[in-house]
């Protein structure tokens, strides 16, 4: 059973770091530090967006429309942190 919790913890860590990179990259693109016309920047941006879109889209459907401000990454970020740091350790501790 500990192996399952280890795998879940690893998946949540990977999602956390992918989201951090995606958020930082979006800021750098928004403030025009990086240009999406550069092929490498566009490939990284597109790859990260494709990885995270299945996670963001259900949250976007539940949230109210806020115009240009996308709150889905913030909501998912809080959920991942809560799962990784609060819920998963308490569930793992109850099994042992």
């Amino acid at each position: 059973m500990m192996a399952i919790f280890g795998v879940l913890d690893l998946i949540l860590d990977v999602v956390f770091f992918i989201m951090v990179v995606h958020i930082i990259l979006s800021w750098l693109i928004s403030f025009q530090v990086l240009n999406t016309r550069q092929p490498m920047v566009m490939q990284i941006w597109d790859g990260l967006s494709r990885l995270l879109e299945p996670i963001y889209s259900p949250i976007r459907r539940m949230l109210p429309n806020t115009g240009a401000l996308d709150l889905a990454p913030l909501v998912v970020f809080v959920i991942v942190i809560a799962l990784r740091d609060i819920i998963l350790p308490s569930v793992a501790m109850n099994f042992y």
Side-chain angles (χ1 to χ4, degrees):
M1 194 58 130
M2 191 63 178
I4 293 172
F5 291 121
V7 170
L8 289 174
D9 189 42
L10 179 66
I11 290 170
L12 290 171
D13 284 342
V14 169
V15 169
F16 177 81
F17 286 114
I18 288 173
M19 287 184 65
V20 167
V21 171
H22 189 254
I23 291 168
I24 291 172
L25 192 62
S26 73
W27 289 343
L28 292 175
I29 290 171
S30 294
F31 293 120
Q32 297 176 355
V33 175
L34 294 176
N35 188 355
T36 55
R37 292 186 193 130
Q38 296 173 338
M40 183 148 182
V41 172
M42 190 57 194
Q43 286 178 349
I44 293 171
W45 177 253
D46 189 47
L48 291 175
S49 295
R50 287 181 187 214
L51 279 173
L52 293 172
E53 190 58 35
I55 300 171
Y56 291 160
S57 60
I59 302 296
R60 283 187 184 123
R61 284 193 298 265
M62 289 188 288
L63 292 175
N65 187 7
T66 56
L69 183 63
D70 186 15
L71 296 176
L74 177 65
V75 171
V76 173
F77 201 68
V78 169
I79 290 170
V80 167
I81 290 172
L83 284 171
R84 188 185 71 166
D85 296 339
I86 299 169
I87 297 171
L88 191 65
S90 66
V91 170
M93 192 173 18
N94 287 337
F95 275 99
Y96 297 104

